[in-house]
């Protein structure tokens, strides 16, 4: 079966750096997405990786290793507004998105 | 820019009743999707549409039906609601289903409680 694994919850301190990991086993691979979802709101697109390596976008970076079935989202200079759930999703060989359950990130002052 | 509009925002529905969740997008996206989100689970695809006039079944289609009469609208109907359909429902759209780098844009969701 297809599976996406992420930690359920993480806690970090304002101003620090946090890395949220995602491992996947899917039938084929056509890209990996990270979304941010604040409580009670819709998911919003953060990043897309299809080739191995690091994609940097401001305070957020996303890394992909296809051979290891592994990605991480790196958040720098954490702010209180970064408290949210972070969803990892993989597009499989049929271009269907397989979603992880999300990682709830709690930022403490 | 409105993006994707869902209605209603929330609803309490008696078991056995029918209901249609509305979804409209103004981005001229070809593909549209309905997901349900339940605590502790990833988003699960109910139905999708690659383009106007076509629909397909997702991971959890039973008890739901959709139609795609035009590009903008993608309503989701529950014919006879059951308590297990209590969930938050998200409508989403993307420029294309068959393109890798085509992120989904989500509506604000409909919180449905079936009693």
């Amino acid at each position: 079966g297809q599976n996406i694994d992420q930690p359920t919850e993480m806690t970090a301190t304002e101003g620090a750096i946090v890395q949220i990991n995602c491992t996947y086993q899917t039938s084929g691979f056509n890209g990996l997405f990270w979304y941010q979802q604040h409580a009670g709101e819709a998911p919003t697109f953060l990043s897309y990786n299809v080739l191995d390596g690091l994609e940097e976008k401001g305070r957020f970076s996303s890394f992909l290793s296809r051979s290891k079935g592994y990605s991480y989202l790196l958040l720098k200079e954490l702010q209180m507004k970064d408290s949210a759930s972070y969803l990892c999703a993989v597009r499989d060989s049929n271009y269907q998105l397989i979603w992880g359950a999300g990682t709830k990130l709690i930022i403490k002052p | 820019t409105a993006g994707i509009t869902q209605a209603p925002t929330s609803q309490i529905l008696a078991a056995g009743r029918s209901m249609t969740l509305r979804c409209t997008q103004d981005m001229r996206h070809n593909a549209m999707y309905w997901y349900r989100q339940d605590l502790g689970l990833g988003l699960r695809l109910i139905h999708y549409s690659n383009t106007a006039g076509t629909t397909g079944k997702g991971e959890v289609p039973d008890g739901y039906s959709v139609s795609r009469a035009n590009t903008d609208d993608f309503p989701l109907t529950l014919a006879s609601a059951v308590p297990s359909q209590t969930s938050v429902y998200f409508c989403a759209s993307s420029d294309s289903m068959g393109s890798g780098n085509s992120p989904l844009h989500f509506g604000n969701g409909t919180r449905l409680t079936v009693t």
Side-chain angles (χ1 to χ4, degrees), chain B residues 1-5 23-29 32 71-73 93:
Chain B
T1 303
I4 297 184
T5 302
C23 175
T24 300
Q25 54 111 351
D26 64 1
M27 296 175 284
R28 307 303 294 172
H29 282 168
M32 296 188 76
T71 297
D72 299 342
D73 300 301
S93 72

Side-chain angles (χ1 to χ4, degrees), chain A residues 44-96:
Chain A
T44 56
F45 170 70
L46 285 178
S47 68
Y48 170 76
N49 294 72
V50 67
L51 299 177
D52 290 351
L54 189 68
E55 294 280 343
E56 297 186 79
K57 196 182 289 186
R59 292 189 300 114
F60 292 6
S61 302
S62 56
F63 172 83
L64 174 67
S65 169
R66 289 171 295 170
S67 63
K68 295 182 179 178
Y70 168 70
S71 172
Y72 66 73
L73 181 68
L74 191 71
L75 291 73
K76 303 176 185 176
E77 302 169 15
L78 285 170
Q79 302 174 9
M80 297 304 292
K81 67 178 182 180
D82 297 330
S83 292
S85 289
Y86 292 85
L87 314 182
C88 175
V90 172
R91 201 157 244 160
D92 69 10
S93 56
N94 293 320
Y95 289 92
Q96 297 283 359

Side-chain angles (χ1 to χ4, degrees), chain B residues 15-107:
Chain B
R17 300 298 291 264
S18 66
M19 179 178 180
T20 295
L21 280 63
R22 301 184 298 280
C23 175
T24 300
Q25 54 111 351
D26 64 1
M27 296 175 284
R28 307 303 294 172
H29 282 168
N30 288 309
M32 296 188 76
Y33 317 80
W34 274 105
Y35 285 93
R36 59 178 290 171
Q37 187 174 41
D38 302 289
L39 199 62
L41 299 176
L43 288 161
R44 291 184 292 169
L45 183 65
I46 303 170
H47 285 286
Y48 65 91
S49 169
N50 284 323
T51 188
T54 68
T55 63
K57 293 182 179 180
E59 179 186 357
V60 288
D62 294 344
Y64 306 95
S65 63
V66 292
S67 62
R68 185 89 183 276
N70 56 60
T71 297
D72 299 342
D73 300 301
F74 191 44
L76 176 74
T77 298
L78 288 69
S80 179
V82 294
S84 62
Q85 292 178 309
T86 293
S87 187
V88 179
Y89 291 86
F90 285 103
C91 180
S93 72
S94 68
D95 184 50
S96 167
M97 252 191 108
S99 171
N101 184 12
S102 185
L104 269 60
H105 301 262
F106 287 85

